[in-house]
Short mmCIF file of all heavy atoms in Angstrom, two decimals:
data_model
loop_
_atom_site.label_atom_id
_atom_site.label_comp_id
_atom_site.label_asym_id
_atom_site.label_seq_id
_atom_site.Cartn_x
_atom_site.Cartn_y
_atom_site.Cartn_z
N GLU M 119 159.74 126.89 65.67
CA GLU M 119 161.03 127.63 65.76
C GLU M 119 161.97 127.13 66.81
O GLU M 119 163.17 127.48 66.79
CB GLU M 119 160.78 129.05 65.90
CG GLU M 119 160.25 129.76 64.53
CD GLU M 119 160.04 131.23 64.63
OE1 GLU M 119 159.81 131.74 65.91
OE2 GLU M 119 160.08 132.02 63.76
N GLN M 120 161.52 126.37 67.68
CA GLN M 120 162.32 125.77 68.81
C GLN M 120 163.30 124.72 68.15
O GLN M 120 164.36 124.59 68.67
CB GLN M 120 161.34 124.98 69.86
CG GLN M 120 160.51 125.90 70.68
CD GLN M 120 159.63 125.00 71.54
OE1 GLN M 120 160.01 124.83 72.68
NE2 GLN M 120 158.56 124.45 71.05
N TYR M 121 162.86 124.10 67.07
CA TYR M 121 163.66 123.01 66.49
C TYR M 121 163.93 123.09 65.04
O TYR M 121 164.70 122.24 64.53
CB TYR M 121 162.95 121.62 66.85
CG TYR M 121 162.40 121.56 68.20
CD1 TYR M 121 161.04 121.39 68.50
CD2 TYR M 121 163.24 121.62 69.34
CE1 TYR M 121 160.56 121.30 69.82
CE2 TYR M 121 162.76 121.60 70.67
CZ TYR M 121 161.37 121.33 70.92
OH TYR M 121 160.94 121.27 72.14
N ALA M 122 163.32 123.99 64.42
CA ALA M 122 163.47 124.10 62.90
C ALA M 122 163.34 125.51 62.43
O ALA M 122 162.88 126.39 63.21
CB ALA M 122 162.37 123.19 62.28
N PRO M 123 163.72 125.79 61.28
CA PRO M 123 163.55 127.13 60.67
C PRO M 123 162.13 127.61 60.64
O PRO M 123 161.17 126.76 60.65
CB PRO M 123 164.10 126.92 59.30
CG PRO M 123 164.98 125.81 59.20
CD PRO M 123 164.43 124.94 60.27
N THR M 124 161.88 128.87 60.67
CA THR M 124 160.57 129.57 60.64
C THR M 124 159.86 128.92 59.39
O THR M 124 160.41 129.00 58.29
CB THR M 124 160.69 130.98 60.52
OG1 THR M 124 161.38 131.48 61.54
CG2 THR M 124 159.27 131.58 60.41
N PRO M 125 158.62 128.42 59.60
CA PRO M 125 157.97 127.86 58.49
C PRO M 125 157.53 128.81 57.34
O PRO M 125 157.14 129.96 57.65
CB PRO M 125 156.65 127.18 59.07
CG PRO M 125 156.49 128.10 60.37
CD PRO M 125 157.83 128.36 60.86
N LYS M 126 157.68 128.44 56.11
CA LYS M 126 157.43 129.25 54.96
C LYS M 126 155.87 128.93 54.51
O LYS M 126 155.39 129.71 53.72
CB LYS M 126 158.34 129.03 53.88
CG LYS M 126 159.73 129.48 54.20
CD LYS M 126 160.64 129.39 52.93
CE LYS M 126 162.00 129.76 53.19
NZ LYS M 126 162.90 129.58 52.06
N TYR M 127 155.40 127.81 54.78
CA TYR M 127 154.19 127.30 54.21
C TYR M 127 153.12 126.86 55.28
O TYR M 127 153.56 126.48 56.31
CB TYR M 127 154.46 126.15 53.24
CG TYR M 127 155.55 126.42 52.33
CD1 TYR M 127 156.78 125.69 52.43
CD2 TYR M 127 155.43 127.36 51.34
CE1 TYR M 127 157.81 125.98 51.52
CE2 TYR M 127 156.48 127.67 50.38
CZ TYR M 127 157.64 127.00 50.53
OH TYR M 127 158.61 127.26 49.63
N PHE M 128 151.98 127.06 54.80
CA PHE M 128 150.79 126.71 55.76
C PHE M 128 149.72 125.95 55.03
O PHE M 128 149.46 126.21 53.80
CB PHE M 128 150.13 128.01 56.27
CG PHE M 128 148.91 127.80 57.08
CD1 PHE M 128 148.97 127.41 58.31
CD2 PHE M 128 147.65 128.22 56.55
CE1 PHE M 128 147.65 127.14 59.08
CE2 PHE M 128 146.51 128.06 57.25
CZ PHE M 128 146.53 127.52 58.59
N ARG M 129 149.23 125.01 55.64
CA ARG M 129 148.03 124.25 55.13
C ARG M 129 146.95 124.27 56.18
O ARG M 129 147.04 123.71 57.20
CB ARG M 129 148.38 122.80 54.76
CG ARG M 129 147.21 122.07 54.26
CD ARG M 129 147.55 120.65 53.70
NE ARG M 129 148.37 120.83 52.43
CZ ARG M 129 149.28 120.07 52.05
NH1 ARG M 129 149.75 119.12 52.86
NH2 ARG M 129 149.94 120.22 50.93
N PRO M 130 145.86 124.80 55.83
CA PRO M 130 144.73 125.00 56.88
C PRO M 130 144.11 123.53 57.07
O PRO M 130 143.90 122.79 56.04
CB PRO M 130 143.73 125.90 56.21
CG PRO M 130 144.00 125.94 54.84
CD PRO M 130 145.47 125.62 54.60
N PRO M 131 143.79 123.14 58.22
CA PRO M 131 143.11 121.94 58.51
C PRO M 131 141.87 121.84 57.70
O PRO M 131 141.04 122.86 57.55
CB PRO M 131 142.86 121.88 60.02
CG PRO M 131 143.83 122.83 60.52
CD PRO M 131 144.13 123.93 59.53
N TYR M 132 141.48 120.67 57.10
CA TYR M 132 140.24 120.50 56.34
C TYR M 132 140.19 121.34 55.13
O TYR M 132 139.18 121.54 54.42
CB TYR M 132 139.03 120.71 57.10
CG TYR M 132 138.99 119.99 58.50
CD1 TYR M 132 139.33 120.73 59.66
CD2 TYR M 132 138.93 118.67 58.55
CE1 TYR M 132 139.36 120.10 60.85
CE2 TYR M 132 139.01 117.97 59.84
CZ TYR M 132 139.10 118.72 61.02
OH TYR M 132 139.22 118.15 62.25
N MET M 133 141.32 122.06 54.66
CA MET M 133 141.35 122.99 53.63
C MET M 133 140.37 124.20 53.89
O MET M 133 139.77 124.80 52.99
CB MET M 133 141.02 122.38 52.31
CG MET M 133 142.16 121.50 51.81
SD MET M 133 143.65 122.53 51.47
CE MET M 133 144.73 121.26 50.88
N ASP M 134 140.13 124.47 55.16
CA ASP M 134 139.12 125.46 55.49
C ASP M 134 139.73 126.80 55.90
O ASP M 134 140.53 126.81 56.90
CB ASP M 134 138.27 124.95 56.71
CG ASP M 134 137.30 126.03 57.29
OD1 ASP M 134 136.41 126.37 56.44
OD2 ASP M 134 137.54 126.42 58.45
N ALA M 135 139.54 127.85 55.15
CA ALA M 135 140.04 129.13 55.35
C ALA M 135 139.21 130.17 54.80
O ALA M 135 138.48 129.96 53.84
CB ALA M 135 141.49 129.20 54.63
N ASP M 136 139.31 131.38 55.47
CA ASP M 136 138.44 132.45 54.94
C ASP M 136 139.43 133.67 54.78
O ASP M 136 140.64 133.60 54.99
CB ASP M 136 137.32 132.80 55.89
CG ASP M 136 137.69 133.09 57.35
OD1 ASP M 136 138.99 133.33 57.63
OD2 ASP M 136 136.87 133.13 58.22
N GLU M 137 138.85 134.84 54.46
CA GLU M 137 139.63 136.05 54.39
C GLU M 137 140.39 136.43 55.57
O GLU M 137 141.61 136.92 55.51
CB GLU M 137 138.76 137.21 53.87
CG GLU M 137 138.30 137.14 52.44
CD GLU M 137 139.53 136.96 51.44
OE1 GLU M 137 140.49 137.73 51.55
OE2 GLU M 137 139.40 136.12 50.59
N VAL M 138 139.89 136.12 56.78
CA VAL M 138 140.49 136.40 58.04
C VAL M 138 141.79 135.50 58.17
O VAL M 138 142.88 136.01 58.59
CB VAL M 138 139.70 136.17 59.21
CG1 VAL M 138 140.32 136.36 60.53
CG2 VAL M 138 138.42 137.17 59.16
N THR M 139 141.66 134.20 57.75
CA THR M 139 142.83 133.36 57.79
C THR M 139 143.91 133.93 56.95
O THR M 139 145.13 133.96 57.41
CB THR M 139 142.46 132.01 57.27
OG1 THR M 139 141.17 131.59 57.81
CG2 THR M 139 143.41 130.98 57.68
N HIS M 140 143.63 134.37 55.69
CA HIS M 140 144.65 134.95 54.87
C HIS M 140 145.24 136.14 55.37
O HIS M 140 146.41 136.51 55.07
CB HIS M 140 144.01 135.14 53.47
CG HIS M 140 143.78 133.91 52.65
ND1 HIS M 140 144.71 133.14 52.14
CD2 HIS M 140 142.57 133.27 52.29
CE1 HIS M 140 144.22 132.07 51.57
NE2 HIS M 140 142.97 132.22 51.71
N SER M 141 144.47 136.87 56.19
CA SER M 141 145.00 138.27 56.69
C SER M 141 146.02 138.08 57.84
O SER M 141 146.71 138.88 58.16
CB SER M 141 143.85 139.09 57.08
OG SER M 141 143.13 138.67 58.33
N VAL M 142 145.81 136.87 58.60
CA VAL M 142 146.62 136.79 59.88
C VAL M 142 147.77 135.64 59.71
O VAL M 142 148.66 135.73 60.47
CB VAL M 142 145.69 136.35 61.03
CG1 VAL M 142 144.64 137.36 61.29
CG2 VAL M 142 145.03 134.93 60.87
N VAL M 143 147.55 134.83 58.80
CA VAL M 143 148.64 133.72 58.63
C VAL M 143 149.67 134.28 57.68
O VAL M 143 149.31 134.55 56.46
CB VAL M 143 148.03 132.41 58.08
CG1 VAL M 143 149.13 131.42 57.79
CG2 VAL M 143 147.02 131.79 59.09
N PRO M 144 150.92 134.35 58.01
CA PRO M 144 151.95 134.97 57.12
C PRO M 144 152.58 134.09 56.12
O PRO M 144 153.32 134.55 55.19
CB PRO M 144 153.04 135.49 58.16
CG PRO M 144 152.93 134.44 59.23
CD PRO M 144 151.48 134.06 59.41
N GLN M 145 152.25 132.72 56.20
CA GLN M 145 152.89 131.80 55.26
C GLN M 145 152.11 131.76 53.89
O GLN M 145 151.00 132.22 53.88
CB GLN M 145 153.05 130.39 55.94
CG GLN M 145 154.04 130.20 56.96
CD GLN M 145 153.52 130.80 58.34
OE1 GLN M 145 152.35 130.74 58.56
NE2 GLN M 145 154.51 131.30 59.14
N ILE M 146 152.72 131.10 53.01
CA ILE M 146 152.13 130.81 51.70
C ILE M 146 151.23 129.59 51.92
O ILE M 146 151.72 128.58 52.52
CB ILE M 146 153.30 130.57 50.53
CG1 ILE M 146 154.06 131.83 50.34
CG2 ILE M 146 152.58 130.09 49.23
CD1 ILE M 146 155.37 131.49 49.60
N PHE M 147 150.06 129.67 51.53
CA PHE M 147 149.03 128.52 51.61
C PHE M 147 149.32 127.50 50.58
O PHE M 147 149.44 127.73 49.41
CB PHE M 147 147.67 128.99 51.45
CG PHE M 147 147.24 129.79 52.72
CD1 PHE M 147 147.89 130.77 53.33
CD2 PHE M 147 145.90 129.62 53.20
CE1 PHE M 147 147.50 131.48 54.43
CE2 PHE M 147 145.44 130.37 54.29
CZ PHE M 147 146.26 131.34 54.90
N ILE M 148 149.30 126.23 50.98
CA ILE M 148 149.61 125.18 50.07
C ILE M 148 148.50 124.10 50.15
O ILE M 148 148.11 123.57 51.14
CB ILE M 148 150.90 124.45 50.49
CG1 ILE M 148 152.11 125.42 50.40
CG2 ILE M 148 151.19 123.31 49.46
CD1 ILE M 148 152.44 126.00 49.13
N GLY M 149 147.95 123.74 48.92
CA GLY M 149 147.05 122.71 48.73
C GLY M 149 147.58 121.45 48.14
O GLY M 149 148.81 121.29 48.29
N GLY M 150 146.86 120.73 47.28
CA GLY M 150 147.42 119.62 46.65
C GLY M 150 146.42 118.53 46.34
O GLY M 150 145.17 118.75 46.53
N TYR M 151 146.82 117.37 45.90
CA TYR M 151 146.02 116.23 45.63
C TYR M 151 146.05 115.25 46.81
O TYR M 151 147.26 114.87 47.05
CB TYR M 151 146.31 115.60 44.28
CG TYR M 151 145.62 114.25 44.17
CD1 TYR M 151 144.18 114.29 43.78
CD2 TYR M 151 146.15 113.02 44.42
CE1 TYR M 151 143.49 113.09 43.70
CE2 TYR M 151 145.51 111.82 44.36
CZ TYR M 151 144.17 111.79 43.95
OH TYR M 151 143.50 110.62 43.79
N CYS M 152 145.01 114.70 47.23
CA CYS M 152 144.99 113.78 48.33
C CYS M 152 144.18 112.50 48.03
O CYS M 152 143.10 112.65 47.50
CB CYS M 152 144.26 114.39 49.61
SG CYS M 152 144.20 113.26 51.03
N PRO M 153 144.88 111.40 48.15
CA PRO M 153 144.24 110.09 47.81
C PRO M 153 143.30 109.58 48.94
O PRO M 153 143.17 108.35 49.08
CB PRO M 153 145.43 109.19 47.56
CG PRO M 153 146.44 109.69 48.55
CD PRO M 153 146.29 111.15 48.61
N SER M 154 142.87 110.56 49.83
CA SER M 154 142.02 110.10 50.95
C SER M 154 142.65 109.12 51.80
O SER M 154 142.07 108.27 52.41
CB SER M 154 140.67 109.56 50.41
OG SER M 154 140.00 110.58 49.66
N ASP M 155 144.08 109.27 52.06
CA ASP M 155 144.72 108.28 52.93
C ASP M 155 144.38 108.55 54.41
O ASP M 155 144.86 107.74 55.21
CB ASP M 155 146.17 108.48 52.70
CG ASP M 155 146.94 109.68 53.20
OD1 ASP M 155 146.26 110.76 53.12
OD2 ASP M 155 147.92 109.55 53.95
N TRP M 156 143.74 109.67 54.78
CA TRP M 156 143.25 109.86 56.10
C TRP M 156 142.08 108.88 56.49
O TRP M 156 141.84 108.81 57.70
CB TRP M 156 142.81 111.24 56.29
CG TRP M 156 141.84 111.81 55.26
CD1 TRP M 156 142.14 112.42 54.04
CD2 TRP M 156 140.47 111.55 55.30
NE1 TRP M 156 140.96 112.71 53.40
CE2 TRP M 156 139.92 112.21 54.10
CE3 TRP M 156 139.52 111.10 56.17
CZ2 TRP M 156 138.48 112.22 53.73
CZ3 TRP M 156 138.22 111.15 55.91
CH2 TRP M 156 137.79 111.73 54.74
N ASP M 157 141.40 108.32 55.49
CA ASP M 157 140.31 107.51 55.76
C ASP M 157 140.64 106.00 55.95
O ASP M 157 141.32 105.33 55.15
CB ASP M 157 139.35 107.57 54.51
CG ASP M 157 138.07 106.93 54.78
OD1 ASP M 157 137.92 106.07 55.71
OD2 ASP M 157 137.16 107.10 53.91
N ALA M 158 140.37 105.51 57.08
CA ALA M 158 140.81 104.13 57.44
C ALA M 158 140.20 103.13 56.54
O ALA M 158 140.72 101.97 56.40
CB ALA M 158 140.60 103.80 58.96
N ASN M 159 139.08 103.44 55.90
CA ASN M 159 138.44 102.50 54.98
C ASN M 159 139.12 102.46 53.58
O ASN M 159 138.76 101.61 52.79
CB ASN M 159 136.98 102.99 54.73
CG ASN M 159 136.23 102.78 56.02
OD1 ASN M 159 136.26 101.83 56.72
ND2 ASN M 159 135.42 103.82 56.35
#
Side-chain angles (χ1 to χ4, degrees):
E119 287 179 334
Q120 296 177 93
Y121 315 121
T124 302
K126 295 181 179 179
Y127 308 112
F128 173 74
R129 177 172 290 144
Y132 313 105
M133 288 298 186
D134 175 65
D136 56 16
E137 287 302 315
V138 173
T139 317
H140 287 289
S141 72
V142 300
V143 175
Q145 286 81 32
I146 298 167
F147 285 43
I148 302 294
Y151 170 78
C152 179
S154 299
D155 75 314
W156 50 267
D157 187 346
N159 294 315

